[in-house]
Amino acid sequence: MTTRYRVEYALKTHRRDQFIEWVKGLLAVPFVLYSQPTGVFGDGPNVAKMAEEAHRRYAEIMRDVEMMIDDHISRQKQNQALTQDGTINHGHGHGHGNFLCPPLPSKLGMLVPTAGPFFTRLPLEAAFKYQDRKRYISSRRYVAPSFNDVRLVLNSAQIMAVTGGALQLATFDGDVTLYDDGESLEPSSPIIPRLLDLLRKNIKVGIVTAAGYTTADRYYERLHGLLDAIAGSADLDDAQKQSVVIMGGEANYLFALDLGSPHRLSPVPRARWLTPEMAAWSEADIAALLDVAESALRDCVRTMNLPATLVRKDRAVGIVPTDPSVRIARESLEETVLVVQRILELSSLGAASSPSAHRGPGAATGGVPFCAFNGGRDVFVDIGDKSWGVAVCQQWFGHGAGTAMRGENTLHVGDQFLSAGSNDFKARSVGTTAWIASPAETVELLDELADLMQKKLS
Ligand code: IMP
Ligand code: MG
């Protein structure tokens, strides 16, 4: 690995969402050409005209990107079909098996190599118009369309794409998505009635959190507001009340609702929910991987003199602040994640794989998948990651129908899509996602979802 690569990777690539940055760059052009930063007073009509023109141009760009995504999706499908009938790459995964016709990248794939897969088309023009009505993006003269503007437009587009009958499973991260970092879902949380509303609409709900506990009482402590509300709800039938699972430790502990028990949850034995691939991860490999991770974490604590304590669990290892009131510097947390990730990748014990449905048939596994991430105040290395956690929910709820729920019928809502390790980002390989920045944004997103479902029904 060259130093240049390491610097580029460590300082830049993992801190950028290239697709969002690219869209932002496209929107910057009409902003520069049409914004009117000169007049401050008395030019009301001019500003209104400017906003109208900027709106038209932004919307046009979003429509063009929307069409590029359509093209990307159709190529994705062609390439998948070619992979599946085995004529191109004989199941080796990357198209090396046949020199005559390697899969063609889409134009979007060439411009933004990190883009995709897309499980649904994204109505970006409509989503932009919706967010522009809310955020007055086109009326701004000094602040160009921002990263957050684009992130929220993408969320709206994704919500629009899954309403109208497609959405069957909504999974939620815990910290920062349902409650503030380290807090719990209290009975007064505005998120609770909105989650109950999803259940009422027969949508399954999974809480897919990295927080890893082996017993129900700890999850009850974090989620009691929701669990008690479900138990006490008069208008949910029994099947709807059973439509929630907690997936803890990213993909390690499954709890089903058991409303008669004191903590309203009961653990489901692994044998009942591990996917066949997960069942193949050996206990010895898991322990060996955690040993390597532990020693890498200890090295980081020593070399950077971190005010941190090591925490070893059966399916995770992490460092947390020794004094909870002291924050470990963000740079130190990120450095630790990148060091540990690198060491595990080089050790051959760790595998960077996601559930098979999206890797194509026959792709080889080797090693145990893991997720090293910066949790904001701590660093954890978990066995598996949220792509496996969400895949377990898809399988669990799909069993009635005989097959797992599909990516286009799944929406994962989370906050970690950019920081080192970004554990919610992993869910992108198995379903659609929405990227929120606070529990308040989750509330807005759920309201948007409910509004659209209502409109599409009537
Ligand atoms: P999430 O946002 O719900 O995925 O929760 C992430 C946070 O859970 C981390 O930042 C940790 O503070 C906390 N946590 C507690 N136990 C574990 C564990 O075993 N693995 C990973 N994170 C954990
Ligand atoms: Mg989170």
Side-chain angles (χ1 to χ4, degrees), residues 173-176 179 181 208-213 222 249-250 313 316 373-378 380-382 386 415-416 423-424:
D173 162 58
D175 294 62
V176 183
Y179 33 79
D181 201 12
V208 181
T209 170
Y213 314 123
R222 302 296 301 274
E250 318 244 14
K313 304 184 177 186
F373 72 102
N374 165 5
R377 293 168 181 275
D378 45 33
F380 270 92
V381 180
D382 290 311
K386 291 193 183 187
D415 66 294
Q416 287 224 347
N423 64 9
D424 293 302

Side-chain angles (χ1 to χ4, degrees), residues 195-203 205 236 240 243-244:
L195 293 180
L196 296 189
D197 188 48
L198 290 179
L199 295 174
R200 217 172 283 122
K201 291 176 171 137
N202 298 318
I203 292 169
V205 171
L236 289 177
Q240 289 167 333
S243 297
V244 178

Side-chain angles (χ1 to χ4, degrees), residues 84 89 154:
Q84 268 158 11
N89 60 23
L154 287 170

